[in-house]
Amino acid sequence: MTEKHPFDDFGINLFSESVMKECLPHPIYTKWKTATRKEDALDRNTADAIAHAMKTWAMEKGCTHFTHWFQPLTGSTAEKHDSFIEPGDHNQPISRFSGKSLIKGEGDASSFPSGGLRATFEARGYTYWDCTSPAFIRDNVLCIPTIFVSYNGETLDKKAPLLKSAEAISKQATRIVNLFKDKDIKRVNAMVGLEQEYFLIDKQQYQKRMDLMHTGRTLFGSMPPKSMDIRGHYFGSIPERVQAFMSDVDKELWKLGIYANTEHNEVAPCQFEIAPLFIDVNVAIDQNLIIMDVLKKQADRHGFACLLHEKPFQGVNGSGKHNNWSLVTDDGQNLLEPGDRPHENIRFLLFVCAIIEAVDTYPELLRMAASCYGNDYRLGADEAPPAVISICMGDELEIILEKLRKGEHELKNEVETQPYAIANLSYVPKDTSDRNRTSPFAFTGNKFEFRMVGSSRSASTTNIILNTIVADSLSRIADELQNYKYIDDIRKKSLTICRNILQKHHRILFSGDGYSEEWLKEADRRGLPNIAHYIDSIQALIDDKAIAMFERNKVYNELELQARVDILTEEYRKSVKAEVLTLLNISKKEILPALVKEIKFYSDAQNSLGIENAYYQRKIKHLLQLLHDFDEHYHELKEKMENREQHPENRAKAKYLDTVVLPAMDALRTVIDNIEESISREHYPFPTYDDMFMAM
């Protein structure tokens, strides 16, 4: 008998469109399909029929509960489980799941952040079914993707604005495509592929590091003799223990209908990556959140801890979530596909220029959207672009765009890409440009790769902003083109629009080394913003220009934007507070006693000799200096942390933490790292970087 293959179970835990088509009456399936296309609304009878089919399917697979799975403004996901079982006649148990329960849920929202959109005592929050994202089963629970709103309809989550942004860009992109006489196009989908980087360390080592457990990153730790200097880990042979973990991750994701496609060792020790295939942006975000949860739970089952923090280990590469973004019509045309003759593909050039305009107009928003407090430790290091937003178009397109900007009539690229021979292969096609991994926003053939996104974050905000700013640019362009009836006039006007955009916004184009100091100087000369600290980027959300743009596209209103500024600022404060208090606690209870033990050991050794020994004298003097430095920086950090209460206003307190407290924390860390290097393994109470990296 042939052994069952893991692919045989693909999608068995996903209430996919094919499942719906199979188990729903055709008229019900058709009504659901039209609802997903925004062409009609679901009525109660249709909802009841879908709910019954969904319940039957789920219970056949062992489900006892269902949940409205949503994305509150905490940055993670939330769920409240309700069982299918209810009392029937004569108090006999029956299973029931109505269309009302499918479409709407109610939970206590008082503990979720709202940024002042509602008072704390106003506890009601409502979840509403997102019928465009399929339900799925995890741990015998039917999970129904939903949006989350307040009693008055303000958005309290990240999914509702994402759906609005997807609708905005679809509307404007469809207008332009149809102006080019593709009259059958009804929708354009933002498509996303999210590469997820993460670290795995041994769970026993993890549990001995309170800093990792409480904050997600090491707050102290000196570099080992070998870390990533030799770079032997990248794309190397996957350790057997990790391979077993990855295999189980893949199997669970495949059962959920997620095309987990690529996995490999990353550059840093104990760092890995997983990447699924492209899919609609809304579903892609849902899937990425599921992937993050599966990684953490499977890691625990395999004796690992999965670290999703952007910079768990100082001095080695951190983790990102590369956001690959494109636009695809409902008949499968990728609008960012240049074709064999991009200089003649005016529609493609128009969409590219719209993106260039959008990114250069709102770089501060993209800087904010990609980041969080943890990403400040990653951006600008060797593994991530700097905080300066720029676009790399590649050699061929850069020449074409520059000719267009200068008004040249002949746009054809002068640099022809030729195939070349390798070994016994007679023909190897060559790409039109190399990949620039130092660029934060790079064109990579038929999509843009936004490399700045932090690994721990939901990619919702990134794509909300990317969708909306591009939709806004496309809207302006469509308004300019809509008065032209003939395709030749539209093409000529499109080239004029592209030229005007490039003349105004070409400063954002850069194809060189984004990691270099020279680029930072050049970016400053070009007037590109360099927002080094995440806390300073948050205010971009409530800039007058941003508010007007979001309201024009019906994605956020001013109150919702102000709420998010308050929530993100408070989240920043709490993140820093947790780190500082954790470091102070460890310093007092673990580091100081270890140092004192080391001093006592050498003092006793010196005294036992009965004569002075030069080595012991130098060692004791060095340790006593460390004790002095430790005491000084410990109390300095503690005092500065206590003084934060002198700044009652949310943003002022956050800025104080950023400019005063964090430098003091770094100073204490430096001393602790020196202590680690100076005392014996017997007295040092924590796993070192070397211990954690070698435990794989």
Side-chain angles (χ1 to χ4, degrees):
M1 184 176 179
T2 305
E3 186 177 346
K4 189 175 183 181
H5 194 278
F7 289 170
D8 294 338
D9 286 338
F10 187 87
I12 64 168
N13 289 335
L14 185 73
F15 196 67
S16 62
E17 182 174 346
S18 60
V19 173
M20 295 181 76
K21 194 170 186 177
E22 181 179 332
C23 65
L24 290 174
H26 186 69
I28 299 295
Y29 168 79
T30 302
K31 286 186 176 182
W32 167 79
K33 191 69 176 174
T34 57
T36 63
R37 295 194 296 255
K38 311 290 184 183
E39 296 172 6
D40 198 2
L42 286 176
D43 57 62
R44 179 61 185 271
N45 289 336
T46 302
D48 280 338
I50 295 174
H52 178 75
M54 195 180 286
K55 180 206 71 172
T56 301
W57 171 81
M59 290 186 64
E60 286 175 353
K61 295 180 176 297
C63 286
T64 56
H65 289 71
F66 70 92
T67 182
H68 276 192
W69 185 78
F70 59 102
Q71 302 173 32
L73 296 173
T74 56
S76 58
T77 60
E79 53 197 69
K80 174 176 71 77
H81 299 177
D82 292 298
S83 71
F84 290 122
I85 197 167
E86 294 182 7
D89 295 338
H90 310 295
N91 205 31
Q92 294 298 306
I94 59 171
S95 62
R96 179 175 294 154
F97 184 50
S98 67
K100 180 180 178 181
S101 297
L102 168 63
I103 290 176
K104 178 184 176 183
E106 180 184 341
D108 182 353
S110 60
S111 295
F112 289 112
S114 71
L117 287 174
R118 48 173 218 11
T120 302
F121 62 82
E122 295 173 333
R124 283 187 172 178
Y126 297 94
T127 50
Y128 292 97
W129 179 34
D130 170 18
C131 64
T132 64
S133 185
F136 56 93
I137 294 172
R138 289 203 67 198
D139 300 323
N140 292 328
V141 177
L142 174 65
C143 301
I144 302 162
T146 57
I147 65 171
F148 184 46
V149 299
S150 71
Y151 180 78
N152 294 318
E154 295 95 350
T155 58
L156 299 176
D157 71 341
K158 298 191 175 185
K159 177 179 273 280
L162 179 65
L163 292 171
K164 292 177 182 178
S165 75
E167 191 62 30
I169 198 166
S170 175
K171 177 182 177 182
Q172 303 306 333
T174 300
R175 287 177 66 195
I176 289 182
V177 172
N178 287 336
L179 283 169
F180 279 82
K181 307 306 179 186
D182 275 319
K183 293 296 184 183
D184 294 329
I185 299 302
K186 295 182 174 61
R187 184 167 185 83
V188 173
N189 294 317
M191 304 289 284
V192 167
L194 284 161
E195 304 168 31
Q196 178 70 54
E197 295 174 340
Y198 61 95
F199 281 82
L200 290 176
I201 64 169
D202 186 85
K203 185 163 64 174
Q204 292 183 353
Q205 305 273 19
Y206 170 78
Q207 291 171 338
K208 295 175 182 177
R209 296 280 310 216
M210 190 189 302
D211 51 349
L212 278 176
M213 293 179 66
H214 286 222
T215 73
R217 77 179 182 105
T218 54
L219 302 178
F220 53 90
S222 61
M223 289 297 293
K226 175 186 175 183
S227 59
M228 46 183 277
D229 299 331
I230 303 177
R231 299 186 182 274
H233 189 255
Y234 188 53
F235 273 35
S237 176
I238 298 173
E240 184 176 343
R241 186 179 170 196
V242 176
Q243 185 64 67
F245 154 81
M246 287 181 170
S247 178
D248 284 350
V249 167
D250 288 340
K251 288 175 184 176
E252 184 167 351
L253 294 178
W254 290 335
K255 288 178 181 178
L256 292 165
I258 298 174
Y259 285 90
N261 185 55
T262 302
E263 56 199 22
H264 60 80
N265 292 1
E266 258 298 336
V267 174
C270 305
Q271 187 187 30
F272 307 92
E273 180 180 299
I274 184 171
L277 297 182
F278 273 77
I279 200 165
D280 173 78
V281 60
N282 178 40
V283 179
I285 303 301
D286 284 355
Q287 290 188 352
N288 180 252
L289 291 168
I290 293 170
I291 287 171
M292 292 165 72
D293 189 54
V294 169
L295 288 172
K296 292 182 79 69
K297 290 183 177 178
Q298 284 294 338
D300 186 65
R301 294 183 182 119
H302 283 262
F304 291 121
C306 176
L307 307 179
L308 295 172
H309 194 283
E310 286 73 19
K311 196 77 169 177
F313 304 101
Q314 183 172 286
V316 301
N317 280 11
S319 296
K321 193 195 307 278
H322 300 170
N323 193 91
N324 296 279
W325 181 89
S326 63
L327 296 171
V328 179
T329 65
D330 54 13
D331 66 350
Q333 301 176 61
N334 186 338
L335 299 177
L336 299 183
E337 174 61 63
D340 294 333
R341 303 174 69 83
H343 58 285
E344 296 178 359
N345 192 341
I346 294 177
R347 190 183 70 178
F348 162 76
L349 293 173
L350 191 63
F351 273 93
V352 164
C353 287
I355 293 167
I356 290 171
E357 178 182 63
V359 172
D360 189 42
T361 304
Y362 299 100
E364 300 91 347
L365 284 179
L366 282 173
R367 162 67 173 98
M368 182 283 304
S371 205
C372 57
Y373 164 56
N375 216 19
D376 278 356
Y377 294 98
R378 169 178 167 264
L379 293 181
D382 286 341
E383 75 278 17
V388 180
I389 301 289
S390 64
I391 299 176
C392 173
M393 292 302 307
D395 300 337
E396 180 182 32
L397 289 175
E398 191 174 84
I399 293 172
I400 292 171
L401 293 174
E402 182 62 14
K403 286 185 173 185
L404 181 54
R405 182 179 76 87
K406 291 180 177 179
E408 297 182 21
H409 296 292
E410 175 57 58
L411 298 180
K412 186 176 180 181
N413 181 9
E414 297 169 349
V415 179
E416 295 290 345
T417 58
Q418 299 292 335
Y420 49 86
I422 294 180
N424 61 338
L425 299 177
S426 61
Y427 176 80
V428 179
K430 185 179 179 182
D431 289 336
T432 58
S433 65
D434 200 354
R435 182 184 180 209
N436 188 338
R437 64 182 298 274
T438 73
S439 174
F441 200 83
F443 185 73
T444 55
N446 59 3
K447 63 187 184 299
F448 282 92
E449 181 184 24
F450 191 27
R451 294 175 54 86
M452 288 175 64
V453 186
S455 56
S456 69
R457 309 300 286 175
S458 164
S460 292
T461 303
T462 297
N463 288 285
I464 290 167
I465 289 177
L466 186 54
N467 288 347
T468 310
I469 64 176
V470 175
D472 197 63
S473 183
L474 293 173
S475 175
R476 183 192 64 77
I477 292 170
D479 289 345
E480 286 194 53
L481 291 176
Q482 66 183 4
N483 294 325
Y484 294 85
K485 295 181 180 179
Y486 301 106
I487 187 64
D488 286 344
D489 293 335
I490 289 172
R491 290 169 65 86
K492 290 178 183 177
K493 180 61 177 177
S494 295
L495 287 174
T496 300
I497 291 171
C498 288
R499 183 173 297 114
N500 292 338
I501 288 174
L502 291 169
Q503 288 174 350
K504 184 178 180 181
H505 298 286
H506 71 280
R507 67 171 188 167
I508 200 75
L509 299 177
F510 176 71
S511 297
D513 183 359
Y515 293 170
S516 69
E517 288 294 326
E518 289 76 13
W519 163 236
L520 295 181
K521 295 175 183 176
E522 171 64 21
D524 184 60
R525 286 192 291 270
R526 295 186 185 189
L528 296 175
N530 183 2
I531 306 175
H533 298 271
Y534 166 67
I535 187 63
D536 295 323
S537 72
I538 296 174
Q539 294 297 114
L541 278 171
I542 52 173
D543 181 83
D544 289 343
K545 180 176 67 174
I547 293 171
M549 183 270 299
F550 282 119
E551 290 188 336
R552 268 196 307 274
N553 291 280
K554 299 180 174 57
V555 173
Y556 290 120
N557 61 39
E558 185 173 357
L559 286 176
E560 290 170 333
L561 289 168
Q562 182 61 61
R564 279 152 179 80
V565 168
D566 293 343
I567 290 167
L568 293 173
T569 304
E570 184 176 7
E571 177 191 63
Y572 176 89
R573 290 197 301 105
K574 290 180 176 178
S575 297
V576 176
K577 176 184 175 182
E579 288 191 354
V580 174
L581 295 183
T582 299
L583 184 59
L584 288 172
N585 187 38
I586 292 173
S587 298
K588 181 179 180 180
K589 295 181 178 179
E590 302 283 354
I591 301 296
L592 178 60
L595 179 57
V596 170
K597 285 180 182 178
E598 190 79 2
I599 294 172
K600 184 178 184 304
F601 171 81
Y602 281 100
S603 297
D604 289 347
Q606 168 69 77
N607 294 335
S608 68
L609 290 177
I611 58 172
E612 290 189 357
N613 177 274
Y615 171 76
Y616 286 158
Q617 290 294 319
R618 288 196 305 271
K619 186 69 175 180
I620 293 169
K621 182 179 179 181
H622 174 64
L623 293 172
L624 289 173
Q625 183 62 51
L626 286 175
L627 180 62
H628 173 271
D629 294 344
F630 174 88
D631 181 64
E632 178 182 347
H633 289 295
Y634 171 86
H635 285 96
E636 180 183 1
L637 175 60
K638 185 176 181 181
E639 180 182 354
K640 288 181 175 179
M641 189 61 181
E642 291 169 350
N643 289 341
R644 76 189 188 282
E645 299 302 338
Q646 297 176 7
H647 303 272
E649 193 269 326
N650 197 21
R651 175 164 167 74
K653 187 175 290 186
K655 281 297 296 178
Y656 174 82
L657 290 170
D658 179 51
T659 58
V660 177
V661 174
L662 286 180
M665 188 169 75
D666 289 341
L668 179 57
R669 175 182 183 139
T670 300
V671 177
I672 294 174
D673 290 353
N674 287 334
I675 291 172
E676 177 190 326
E677 293 175 353
S678 301
I679 68 176
S680 64
R681 177 176 291 273
E682 179 184 356
H683 292 147
Y684 192 70
F686 303 106
T688 64
Y689 279 17
D690 205 27
D691 295 331
M692 289 183 280
F693 292 164
M694 297 300 290
M696 298 296 289

